[in-house]
C-alpha cells in the first residue's frame, strides 16, 4: 500500500515516488496546506490543476471543528473535502503548542484550551492516533513535543526523550487500530526533534529508527526561528543518518529558496502556509524579480503577466495592472488568483528540481536559480 522508490540522485538531492492508497506522489513535492480541510479559496479541481498531488490538513483544527467523529460519519476526509488524491494530517502538536491557550505538558500528553471557545481538551499519543484514524488521511504524524526555537539544550533533550516515549505509545495504538478491518491503510511517520544540537539530532534520529521500520520520517523543530546555517547543517547531518529508501518530510518549510536548499540536502516533501498567506497580503513570487508586492505603484499600468515563465491560470489570463487593482481594492479574487500562482510556483519548483535531478543538472541550476531569486528579492 505504501512504498517509496528512489529513482535518481545527484549529490544528496533525490527524485523518487511515494505510493499511497490514493495515488502516487512524485518527489520532491510541495504539499499545499488545507488547514480546515480546504486549501484556502480554491476548489479541489483547481488544486489538482496546479499539479499538486498530495495536500495536508490539520488535526488540531478538524478535531475542534467539525470534530473527527463528524468527518468519519461523512465518509472520512477524502470524501468530506472531495479530494481524491493522497492526504497527510499533522499530529496537532504544533498547533497545540503555538495556537491553543493555557497548555500543560505532562508525561501523559498535553492539556489545552481551544482557541475558538476556550473549552478544555487533552491530546495524548493514543488520542491523536485515534483522531487521525477517524479523519482517514493516508500519511499520519506521530505526536511530538516541539520546543520553541532557540531553547536551551536541557529543554531540547527533555523534548527528545518525551517525543520518543510518546512515539512508542503512538506506535502501539496505531498498530492496534490497523487491526480493525475497516479497509483503511495509513502510514505513520515519526517526527525527528533535537533543535539545533547536533548530538541530540543524531541520537534522536538513531533512537527513532531503532523503534520501528517507519515508512517515512518527519523532520520537525526547524524553521522555528533558528539561523538558516543551523537548519542546513542539521539537514546535512540527518542526510547521513536516515535510510535512503524512505521519504523525508521537512515540516513547515516551503519558501522557494528554502525548498531548493533543502532538496539539495536530501529532503523530499514540504508544506508551508506561505503561498496562500502571502496571497492574502498581496505578495507573489516571480522567477525574474523574486518576491513582489502587488500594491506597489509601479504595477499600476503594468500589462505584463505576473511571471512571464509561469504556466498557471492567473499568469496566462491576467496582467499585473488588474491584479494590483484587485489587491488594492481588497477583492476576494485577488486572494484566489495569487494563491493559484504562488502554489503553482512551488509545485513547479519541485517538478523542475525532479527533472533536473534526473538529468544530472540540478546543482548547477539550483545555484543559478537561487542567485537570481535572492538578488532580485534583496533589490526590492
Ligand atoms: Zn503564475
Amino acid at each position: 500500500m505504501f512504498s517509496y522508490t528512489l529513482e535518481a540522485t545527484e549529490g544528496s538531492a533525490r527524485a523518487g515516488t511515494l505510493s499511497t492508497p490514493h495515488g502516487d506522489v512524485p518527489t520532491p513535492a510541495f504539499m499545499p496546506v488545507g488547514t480546515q480541510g480546504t486549501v484556502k479559496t480554491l476548489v479541489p479541481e483547481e488544486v489538482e490543476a496546479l499539479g499538486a498531488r498530495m495536500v495536508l490538513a490539520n488535526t488540531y483544527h478538524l478535531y475542534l471543528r467539525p470534530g473527527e467523529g463528524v468527518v468519519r460519519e461523512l465518509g472520512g476526509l477524502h470524501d468530506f473535502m472531495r479530494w481524491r488524491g493522497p492526504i497527510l494530517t499533522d499530529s496537532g502538536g504544533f498547533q497545540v503548542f503555538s495556537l491553543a491557550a493555557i497548555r500543560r505538558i505532562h508525561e501523559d500528553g498535553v492539556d489545552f484550551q481551544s482557541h475558538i471557545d476556550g473549552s478544555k481538551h487533552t491530546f495524548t499519543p493514543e488520542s491523536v492516533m485515534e483522531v487521525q484514524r477517524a479523519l482517514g488521511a493516508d500519511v499520519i504524524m506521530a505526536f511530538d513535543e516541539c520546543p520553541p526555537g532557540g531553547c536551551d539544550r536541557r529543554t531540547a533533550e527533555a523534548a527528545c526523550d518525551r517525543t520518543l516515549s510518546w512515539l512508542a505509545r503512538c506506535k502501539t495504538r496505531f498498530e492496534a487500530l490497523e487491526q480493525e478491518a475497516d479497509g483503511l491503510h495509513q502510514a505513520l511517520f515519526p517526527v525527528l526533534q533535537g533543535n539545533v544540537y547536533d548530538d541530540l539530532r543524531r541520537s534522536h534520529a538513531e533512537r527513532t529508527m531503532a523503534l520501528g521500520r517507519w515508512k517515512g520520517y518527519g523532520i520537525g523543530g526547524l524553521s522555528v526561528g533558528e539561523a538558516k546555517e543551523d537548519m542546513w547543517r542539521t539537514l546535512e547531518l540527518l542526510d547521513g543518518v536516515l535510510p535512503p529508501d524512505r521519504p523525508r518530510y521537512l515540516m513547515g518549510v516551503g519558501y522557494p529558496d528554502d525548498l531548493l536548499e533543502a532538496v539539495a540536502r536530501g529532503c523530499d516533501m514540504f508544506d508551508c502556509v506561505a503561498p496562500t498567506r502571502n496571497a492574502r497580503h498581496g505578495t507573489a513570487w516571480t522567477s525574474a524579480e523574486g518576491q513582489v508586492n502587488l500594491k506597489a505603484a509601479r504595477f499600476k499600468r503594468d500589462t505584463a503577466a505576473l511571471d512571464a515563465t509561469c504556466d498557471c491560470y492567473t499568469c496566462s489570463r491576467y496582467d499585473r495592472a488588474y491584479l494590483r487593482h484587485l489587491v488594492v481594492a481588497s477583492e476576494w479574487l485577488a486572494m484566489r488568483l495569487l494563491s493559484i500562482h504562488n502554489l503553482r510556483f512551488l509545485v513547479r519548483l519541485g517538478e523542475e528540481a525532479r527533472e533536473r535531478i534526473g538529468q544530472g543538472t540540478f546543482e548547477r541550476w539550483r545555484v543559478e536559480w537561487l542567485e537570481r531569486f535572492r538578488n532580485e528579492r534583496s533589490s526590492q
Side-chain angles (χ1 to χ4, degrees):
M1 281 293 181
F2 290 91
S3 65
Y4 182 72
T5 313
L6 197 56
E7 285 143 11
T9 58
E10 186 189 327
S12 292
R14 302 137 52 86
T17 298
L18 170 69
S19 297
T20 81
H22 286 87
D24 289 350
V25 185
T27 66
F30 177 78
M31 302 179 286
V33 179
T35 303
Q36 306 273 7
T38 159
V39 177
K40 287 194 191 305
T41 75
L42 304 188
V43 297
E45 289 74 13
E46 289 169 325
V47 179
E48 236 177 88
L50 299 164
R53 299 293 186 90
M54 187 168 197
V55 299
L56 187 141
N58 287 124
T59 291
Y60 169 84
H61 291 280
L62 295 170
Y63 158 83
L64 289 177
R65 194 170 52 186
E68 75 281 8
V70 174
V71 175
R72 187 192 338 232
E73 272 172 46
L74 297 171
L77 196 50
H78 291 89
D79 280 1
F80 187 52
M81 67 185 280
R82 309 290 196 270
W83 174 256
R84 294 176 295 188
I87 300 175
L88 182 150
T89 44
D90 65 2
S91 69
F94 189 78
Q95 276 77 26
V96 165
F97 290 111
S98 60
L99 275 184
I102 309 180
R103 51 197 181 261
R104 192 176 69 88
I105 308 170
H106 46 87
E107 199 40 46
D108 196 43
V110 182
D111 303 330
F112 62 95
Q113 272 191 301
S114 160
H115 72 291
I116 301 166
D117 60 7
S119 54
K120 288 181 179 153
H121 305 266
T122 301
F123 271 169
T124 65
E126 291 81 10
S127 76
V128 161
M129 292 297 99
E130 287 155 14
V131 173
Q132 289 188 91
R133 182 146 195 102
L135 295 174
D138 299 272
V139 174
I140 69 173
M141 303 304 294
F143 192 53
D144 63 318
E145 182 184 345
C146 182
C151 71
D152 61 38
R153 205 196 127 85
R154 185 192 290 260
T155 306
E157 192 165 11
C160 282
D161 289 344
R162 182 161 278 155
T163 296
L164 266 174
S165 89
W166 284 358
L167 177 61
R169 287 167 55 191
C170 282
K171 182 170 183 268
T172 302
R173 188 67 190 126
F174 174 76
E175 286 171 350
L177 290 167
E178 282 279 292
Q179 298 306 312
E180 289 177 6
D182 57 2
L184 179 62
H185 296 279
Q186 299 182 299
L188 170 64
F189 285 16
V191 179
L192 304 175
Q193 292 289 352
N195 210 271
V196 295
Y197 301 100
D198 290 357
D199 57 325
L200 289 183
R201 278 286 174 188
R202 180 178 297 278
S203 69
H204 190 245
E206 285 167 350
R207 290 159 77 196
T208 299
M209 286 157 65
L211 267 185
R213 275 187 60 75
W214 309 105
K215 300 278 188 356
Y217 291 84
I219 301 173
L222 289 176
S223 208
V224 288
E226 77 284 354
K228 284 287 162 70
E229 308 84 71
D230 287 331
M231 172 150 75
W232 309 145
R233 193 188 66 253
T234 302
L235 295 181
E236 285 161 17
L237 183 156
L238 290 174
D239 181 44
V241 175
L242 294 173
D245 61 349
R246 294 290 189 273
R248 298 130 181 209
Y249 160 36
L250 180 55
M251 304 170 74
V253 174
Y255 272 77
D257 43 350
D258 293 344
L259 187 146
L260 275 195
E261 294 280 18
V263 167
R265 291 164 175 83
C267 295
D268 308 300
M269 299 159 69
F270 306 89
D271 78 284
C272 186
V273 296
T276 44
R277 194 184 50 206
N278 282 4
R280 282 202 291 287
H281 296 126
T283 54
W285 296 306
T286 70
S287 48
E289 289 168 67
Q291 182 168 304
V292 299
N293 189 328
L294 268 302
K295 285 180 195 137
R298 66 189 170 101
F299 297 128
K300 196 167 187 176
R301 291 182 176 80
D302 189 340
T303 55
L306 178 52
D307 181 342
T309 68
C310 181
D311 58 3
C312 84
Y313 170 78
T314 302
C315 291
S316 60
R317 273 187 91 88
Y318 301 97
D319 58 26
R320 292 170 163 196
Y322 182 62
L323 294 173
R324 176 182 186 274
H325 160 69
L326 294 179
V327 168
V328 170
S330 303
E331 279 295 326
W332 290 343
L333 187 57
M335 185 173 158
R336 269 176 53 67
L337 293 178
L338 294 185
S339 291
I340 287 173
H341 168 77
N342 283 344
L343 287 166
R344 176 62 192 152
F345 193 84
L346 284 171
V347 169
R348 198 161 61 98
L349 203 56
E351 289 173 358
E352 187 158 12
R354 179 182 162 77
E355 205 180 305
R356 299 275 179 178
I357 294 164
Q359 296 165 347
T361 57
F362 171 75
E363 190 51 29
R364 202 175 59 209
W365 169 74
R366 178 184 78 95
V367 170
E368 287 167 9
W369 196 97
L370 286 173
E371 201 172 322
R372 200 171 61 230
F373 186 81
R374 284 172 175 157
N375 276 343
E376 272 133 9
R377 191 156 57 160
S378 60
S379 71
Q380 290 281 303

